[in-house]
Amino acid sequence: MDSVVLFLLLSTFFTSSAQQMESNVSRGSYLTPGINSTWLSRSGLYAFGFYKQGNGYAVGIFLAGIPQKTVVWTANRDVPPVSSSATLSFSRDGTLVLQSTPEQTQIIIADSLGSTSAAMLDTGNFVLYNSDQEIQWQSFEHPTDSLLPGQRLLAGTELFSSVSATDHSTGIFRLKMQHDGHLVQYPVDTPDTAGYAYWGSGTFGSGDNVTLNFSPDGHLYLLNATGANIRNVTDGGYPTKDTIYLMRIDADGIFRLYSYELKQNGNWSVVWSSSGDLCDPKGLCGLNGYCVSNDTEARCVCLPGFEMVHPGNRTAGCEKSFNAADCNSKNEYNTYTMRELANTVWEDISYSVLSFPLKEDCKQACLEDCNCEAALFKDSRCRKQRLPLRYGRRQLTDSNIAFIKVGKSTPADMPKPNQEGHRLEMLIISAVFLTFGGMMLVISGIVFYKNHFWYRKLPVNGNAEVGDDVAPRSFTYPELEKATDGFREEVGRGSFGTVYKGAILNGQKIVAVKKLEKVLAEGEREFQTEMKVIGRTHHRNLVRLLGYCHDGTHRLLVYEYMSNGSLADILFTPEKQTCWEERKGIARDIARGILYLHEECERQIIHCDIKPQNILMDDYGCAKISDFGLAKLLKPDQTRTFTGIRGTKGYVAPEWHRKLPITVKADVYSYGIVLLEIVCRRKSVDWSLPEDIAILEGWAYHCFESGDLDQLVGPDDEVDKKQFERMVKLGLWCIQDEPSLRPSMKKVLLMLEGTIDIPTPPSPTSFFSVI
Ligand SMILES: *[C@@H]1O[C@H](CO)[C@@H](O)[C@H](O)[C@H]1NC(C)=O
Ligand SMILES: *[C@@H]1O[C@H](CO)[C@@H](O)[C@H](O)[C@H]1NC(C)=O
Ligand SMILES: *[C@@H]1O[C@H](CO)[C@@H](O)[C@H](O)[C@H]1NC(C)=O
Ligand SMILES: *[C@@H]1O[C@H](CO)[C@@H](O)[C@H](O)[C@H]1NC(C)=O
Ligand SMILES: *[C@@H]1O[C@H](CO)[C@@H](O)[C@H](O)[C@H]1NC(C)=O
Ligand SMILES: *[C@@H]1O[C@H](CO)[C@@H](O)[C@H](O)[C@H]1NC(C)=O
Ligand SMILES: *[C@@H]1O[C@H](CO)[C@@H](O)[C@H](O)[C@H]1NC(C)=O
Ligand SMILES: *[C@@H]1O[C@H](CO)[C@@H](O)[C@H](O)[C@H]1NC(C)=O
């Protein structure tokens, strides 16, 4: 229907030139740049053929009917432009081939033997037909950076941005329709994991075969395998009269919906875009550079002491402009100084995390550590990094401070600093500070004015310490009753109580409110201390505690809301099956979260109840551990407790049953079970299965020992065999009966990442006593 309307509209619009137009191309036809360079669609809106690219020509589809001649598709986009003597032919055997003279190289565009005719359709699709008029090949199935109405992005396929508006070869960003139902933007050459994502549709776990669809009214939406609309990316319903739409992942990494009013002969205008912040796309700036944007432009700035590798090419990044002295003796660090960069955020690739109340301590710690090249300081945590720093951007609302270690000597022959020099330096520094201070005042004024920033800040309870502004807030019971609308919407039930959905900050922030049950009656002070400890754990793989309530007999916790359910939903719901890569990412996320609890946070926390129901998934498919630190509320002295099993049947380490002391290795055990569940996609205990395979640990070891791991791979699960074996081996090490045999979480992570080898595990031996 719609295409008929469009066709009528366009044919009246282009009648003047419609006579010469070709819409049916027969075998033996050919095109050359210059004259007869394209095959036009019937209405003349779209053309297939040569268009100008750089010093030569490329083959593709463009909007011939508008002055901009916007290119929507390019054949073999990474092949260099061809000369004006090239020919494009629809050969006698039905192949579409580009012959580039004088080199006489042949580039096959569509190898579809048996095609008898071709047509440039008015939808913008170029198709090859067989003699039965069935489609053999179509450009709509090979998208580059754009989609047109009627075109779909299928599961497992992706769009790649172009290098620039005029160079249509593959650029540095991609938009992928994943097999897990999530539509995600990443930089190129990165794994499909949450850490690299910079935009997502939030439909993680909607099953395979989800497609991105595009209708002529500008509606972009996701359909699942059964054809249900699961997400509207754009609202749609935009005017269709004399208007066409185009969706494209632009060279700047943002994906946009454009409209064009044909009658106005105007220009493309943006109807919708995936982000308003030009610095959102990760990797826009190369290594050691960071992105600074206003509403219209994004710039890349080098770290202090660095300069651009190729001036003018921001993706090439920045390199040191000082001579790096060897750092091996104690006094060497005197040749370095730390430069401070406020309000910038970076990818955290810390090799060590320390807790300091003051930023000066962090600065000093990095200066004195020869391995440290930069440090990120935020919320009393000091994260030491090695270079290069990546995915940097300025974010005025972020309190992160980056310290960069810079050599005092520059390649140029600097005069030795003397009193005079120092005074000048001081003058310059104070001038800079004054200017910067003034700027900050103006900026914060603007921010305040625009966003009422002050009101959004969470009120602080207790003593003001550095970093306390992000400490969990104390709520009264009536406040939480109101936030959850009288505890109306139950979203889960865990070992510690029931979870309700709610909203705080005038409905601006969706939260999960957990009503604790079975909590030991504890004093106000102990509870608050505990909340503070939990509240100070900040890690991307831990669910964030935002507040708590200790009101009479009520004990409630307020967490950030995780929109995508738990790992249990993903693993044990047949429709939500996730792919191998995704599962590997989840296993790594969980390991990182536990490692943080065990080794990196202020006070060691043993979780005691690691299980898939306690692993929650955020919008981007990143796994986060919840309920950590709660074991403490049940009983003090958690690390060496002898009474009462805390964990959940099937996941608890044997030492719980033997009343042995509980250490971090109990979490390693539970992690091992969860890891086996993740790789095998089944529950650790499943009595619906035959008895010999009902208990996963025993079955897994049996399969491993007999060298028949294929039996462990779930039905229609595509796994990487080598990695699968590694993960099973690692799982078996983690579930060793003897706690000291189990690896530490740090080792687990190294093994997961393939950094260290995994020896052959012995029999865990205890798997029958666990149940
Ligand atoms: C295109 O032309 C071929 C032969 O000239 C004819 O058989 C075919 O039906 C035509 N196709 C269309 C869509 O008109
Ligand atoms: C262009 O192609 C048409 C049909 O394919 C042909 O009739 C015409 O002669 C060609 N013009 C030139 C200049 O080659
Ligand atoms: C997805 O599509 C493929 C190919 O059409 C099909 O084999 C598979 O069963 C589909 N998966 C689901 C979950 O519908
Ligand atoms: C598609 O979504 C609908 C509605 O949300 C749901 O009922 C259906 O089970 C989903 N289909 C698949 C294959 O996930
Ligand atoms: C998407 O938008 C359409 C209207 O354009 C509406 O009918 C539908 O319910 C929406 N779907 C979702 C999942 O929001
Ligand atoms: C359309 O917009 C682009 C970018 O904003 C501009 O470069 C171009 O000149 C405009 N073209 C017309 C015809 O207005
Ligand atoms: C954004 O910055 C560029 C240069 O950095 C400047 O030319 C432009 O006017 C700025 N735009 C706005 C809206 O401030
Ligand atoms: C810019 O640098 C990147 C990375 O070094 C390189 O791939 C790209 O070709 C360069 N671009 C230009 C226009 O030189």
Side-chain angles (χ1 to χ4, degrees):
M1 253 300 276
D2 283 325
S3 59
V4 173
V5 173
L6 184 71
F7 167 69
L8 289 176
L9 149 78
L10 294 172
S11 50
T12 51
F13 194 66
F14 293 104
T15 36
S16 54
S17 47
Q19 273 72 14
Q20 304 95 323
M21 283 163 194
E22 190 85 52
S23 62
N24 187 356
V25 181
S26 51
R27 286 183 181 187
S29 304
Y30 65 91
L31 298 172
T32 54
I35 345 147
N36 270 356
S37 66
T38 59
W39 292 313
L40 288 174
S41 68
R42 218 177 277 261
S43 69
L45 184 60
Y46 287 98
F48 176 91
F50 290 102
Y51 66 84
K52 202 120 184 57
Q53 161 100 75
N55 300 325
Y57 295 88
V59 172
I61 297 171
F62 58 94
L63 280 138
I66 64 171
Q68 290 81 359
K69 311 284 180 215
T70 310
V71 174
V72 294
W73 183 77
T74 305
N76 305 69
R77 62 197 299 205
D78 293 320
V79 165
V82 295
S83 72
S84 58
S85 54
T87 50
L88 171 69
S89 52
F90 183 38
S91 73
R92 302 247 163 244
D93 65 2
T95 304
L96 204 55
V97 59
L98 176 63
Q99 187 93 36
S100 105
T101 47
E103 302 86 19
Q104 287 295 326
T105 49
Q106 277 203 344
I107 300 153
I108 309 281
I109 292 173
D111 188 2
S112 171
L113 295 172
S115 299
T116 54
S117 66
M120 179 69 245
L121 303 182
D122 271 329
T123 53
N125 193 6
F126 185 77
V127 293
L128 301 184
Y129 296 108
N130 65 11
S131 53
D132 296 332
Q133 292 294 304
E134 287 164 347
I135 293 176
Q136 300 288 97
W137 183 93
Q138 51 183 324
S139 62
F140 267 18
E141 284 182 357
H142 305 271
T144 51
D145 64 349
S146 307
L147 288 186
L148 292 170
Q151 193 171 4
R152 296 193 304 166
L153 192 63
L154 302 178
T157 61
E158 48 197 325
L159 299 183
F160 287 92
S161 68
S162 293
V163 165
S164 69
T166 50
D167 178 351
H168 296 97
S169 48
T170 309
I172 56 171
F173 300 104
R174 61 198 180 103
L175 171 70
K176 181 157 189 185
M177 185 70 252
Q178 297 183 163
H179 282 296
D180 62 4
H182 205 186
L183 180 69
V184 194
Q185 285 186 275
Y186 301 104
V188 292
D189 300 329
T190 55
D192 296 352
T193 49
Y196 298 98
Y198 61 87
W199 181 87
S201 59
T203 49
F204 176 78
S206 307
D208 197 0
N209 293 354
V210 171
T211 53
L212 172 64
N213 297 263
F214 190 8
S215 52
D217 63 350
H219 191 198
L220 281 165
Y221 55 103
L222 298 175
L223 293 183
N224 74 3
T226 42
N229 177 342
I230 53 166
R231 186 62 49 100
N232 285 324
V233 178
T234 63
D235 294 335
Y238 305 121
T240 49
K241 190 171 184 303
D242 298 350
T243 306
I244 50 174
Y245 293 89
L246 166 71
M247 184 220 116
R248 182 170 64 206
I249 169 162
D250 283 317
D252 63 4
I254 290 174
F255 108 73
R256 299 185 174 89
L257 174 68
Y258 290 94
S259 71
Y260 190 101
E261 282 188 55
L262 293 166
K263 282 247 164 76
Q264 313 284 325
N265 243 353
N267 213 339
W268 291 103
S269 54
V270 177
V271 180
W272 177 89
S273 64
S274 58
S275 169
D277 189 334
L278 295 170
C279 282
D280 269 352
K282 286 183 175 168
L284 187 72
C285 298
L287 302 174
N288 300 322
Y290 61 96
C291 182
V292 180
S293 73
N294 59 20
D295 284 347
T296 55
E297 207 176 68
R299 278 185 310 131
C300 292
V301 182
C302 287
L303 290 174
F306 285 65
E307 60 193 10
M308 294 190 94
V309 177
H310 296 299
N313 182 352
R314 60 188 184 185
T315 47
C318 307
E319 60 190 1
K320 287 177 182 164
S321 63
F322 54 88
N323 287 330
D326 271 351
C327 180
N328 43 25
S329 79
K330 269 220 165 115
N331 292 326
E332 276 306 339
Y333 62 78
N334 281 332
T335 62
Y336 289 101
T337 172
M338 300 301 291
R339 301 275 293 274
E340 186 175 330
L341 201 56
N343 308 111
T344 52
V345 290
W346 301 87
E347 180 188 29
D348 176 17
I349 39 160
S350 47
Y351 64 90
S352 160
V353 184
L354 304 164
S355 263
F356 289 125
L358 296 175
K359 66 176 188 181
E360 270 67 32
D361 298 330
C362 179
K363 187 169 154 183
Q364 195 61 26
C366 183
L367 189 59
E368 291 174 7
D369 177 351
C370 282
N371 288 319
C372 184
E373 295 178 291
L376 306 178
F377 182 77
K378 186 181 175 181
D379 302 337
S380 311
R381 307 206 67 80
C382 178
R383 300 168 191 277
K384 293 191 200 169
Q385 322 271 321
R386 290 193 188 89
L387 292 177
L389 290 186
R390 199 160 62 153
Y391 303 153
R393 61 187 294 188
R394 167 161 300 159
Q395 209 156 52
L396 290 172
T397 51
D398 197 289
S399 61
N400 189 60
I401 298 170
F403 290 105
I404 316 298
K405 191 187 269 182
V406 176
K408 280 181 181 164
S409 68
T410 57
D413 281 327
M414 292 274 287
K416 284 255 170 347
N418 51 24
Q419 280 315 92
E420 203 73 6
H422 271 304
R423 213 171 306 142
L424 187 62
E425 218 166 78
M426 284 308 292
L427 264 175
I428 293 172
I429 290 173
S430 4
V432 167
F433 264 81
L434 274 175
T435 320
F436 186 68
M439 268 166 55
M440 282 309 289
L441 259 179
V442 171
I443 290 166
S444 46
I446 292 170
V447 170
F448 171 58
Y449 185 76
K450 278 182 128 172
N451 299 330
H452 304 284
F453 188 71
W454 272 222
Y455 304 128
R456 287 229 210 128
K457 213 160 173 182
L458 297 172
V460 178
N461 275 52
N463 298 336
E465 262 177 56
V466 175
D468 244 9
D469 56 340
V470 291
R473 174 200 157 172
S474 159
F475 289 89
T476 64
Y477 188 72
E479 273 177 317
L480 292 183
E481 208 166 15
K482 182 158 168 268
T484 54
D485 200 2
F487 301 100
R488 206 170 42 84
E489 190 177 347
E490 184 180 321
V491 288
R493 204 175 267 273
S495 29
F496 296 94
T498 314
V499 187
Y500 301 88
K501 190 168 175 177
I504 57 171
L505 300 171
N506 289 326
Q508 285 180 42
K509 186 153 186 70
I510 308 289
V511 294
V513 178
K514 173 168 273 183
K515 248 183 165 169
L516 297 180
E517 292 146 18
K518 303 179 226 150
V519 172
L520 276 193
E522 246 189 307
E524 167 94 29
R525 241 182 44 146
E526 285 87 346
F527 185 79
Q528 289 216 2
T529 313
E530 230 33 73
M531 289 305 107
K532 278 228 165 105
V533 172
I534 299 175
R536 257 187 246 133
T537 53
H538 295 308
H539 191 274
R540 56 181 289 271
N541 300 119
L542 298 178
V543 177
R544 183 81 186 275
L545 180 73
L546 301 173
Y548 57 88
C549 161
H550 184 286
D551 196 340
T553 55
H554 300 295
R555 304 282 181 278
L556 296 96
L557 303 178
V558 181
Y559 287 103
E560 59 177 326
Y561 184 74
M562 295 286 117
S563 55
N564 270 315
S566 75
L567 177 60
D569 300 332
I570 288 175
L571 286 180
F572 311 138
T573 313
E575 311 78 73
K576 286 199 177 171
Q577 294 302 8
T578 48
C579 70
W580 176 247
E581 281 300 319
E582 205 73 46
R583 303 212 307 281
K584 249 174 55 192
I586 291 171
R588 211 160 32 215
D589 282 346
I590 304 169
R592 288 202 179 120
I594 304 176
L595 173 64
Y596 176 87
L597 292 175
H598 287 179
E599 294 185 23
E600 290 173 358
C601 69
E602 214 163 313
R603 215 166 70 192
Q604 184 182 63
I605 294 178
I606 304 178
H607 190 294
C608 296
D609 199 11
I610 297 284
K611 58 178 176 178
Q613 290 77 8
N614 279 339
I615 316 288
L616 304 182
M617 310 302 300
D618 77 0
D619 280 353
Y620 301 102
C622 175
K624 297 186 184 219
I625 299 169
S626 77
D627 276 2
F628 53 90
L630 294 191
K632 271 205 109 112
L633 289 178
L634 296 180
K635 180 98 173 73
D637 190 19
Q638 161 202 217
T639 48
R640 295 208 155 233
T641 182
F642 291 84
T643 48
I645 293 175
R646 289 287 145 66
T648 302
K649 230 173 131 175
Y651 299 93
V652 298
E655 52 266 32
W656 284 109
H657 301 269
R658 303 203 189 121
K659 305 210 184 325
L660 292 172
I662 295 305
T663 67
V664 287
K665 293 295 180 69
D667 283 349
V668 177
Y669 182 91
S670 309
Y671 177 78
I673 300 286
V674 173
L675 181 63
L676 289 175
E677 293 186 320
I678 292 174
V679 297
C680 303
R681 286 208 313 207
R682 56 158 280 197
K683 286 190 177 148
S684 67
V685 180
D686 186 349
W687 291 117
S688 70
L689 296 171
E691 206 168 317
D692 55 333
I693 67 172
I695 297 166
L696 180 57
E697 305 116 270
W699 176 233
Y701 184 70
H702 173 81
C703 294
F704 172 74
E705 203 186 16
S706 58
D708 191 8
L709 283 177
D710 284 350
Q711 291 197 62
L712 282 176
V713 179
D716 37 81
D717 188 9
E718 280 172 30
V719 305
D720 177 315
K721 291 266 164 65
K722 257 213 165 93
Q723 292 174 355
F724 186 84
E725 186 183 346
R726 281 183 69 85
M727 305 264 268
V728 170
K729 270 160 76 176
L730 176 54
L732 292 172
W733 272 113
C734 292
I735 59 168
Q736 290 296 315
D737 199 6
E738 172 51 47
S740 63
L741 285 181
R742 298 172 207 152
S744 69
M745 278 321 287
K746 185 165 258 157
K747 223 161 175 186
V748 166
L749 204 59
L750 291 173
M751 289 176 172
L752 265 184
E753 286 171 348
T755 316
I756 58 177
D757 285 335
I758 307 175
T760 302
S763 163
T765 69
S766 71
F767 42 83
F768 295 114
S769 62
V770 170
I771 307 306

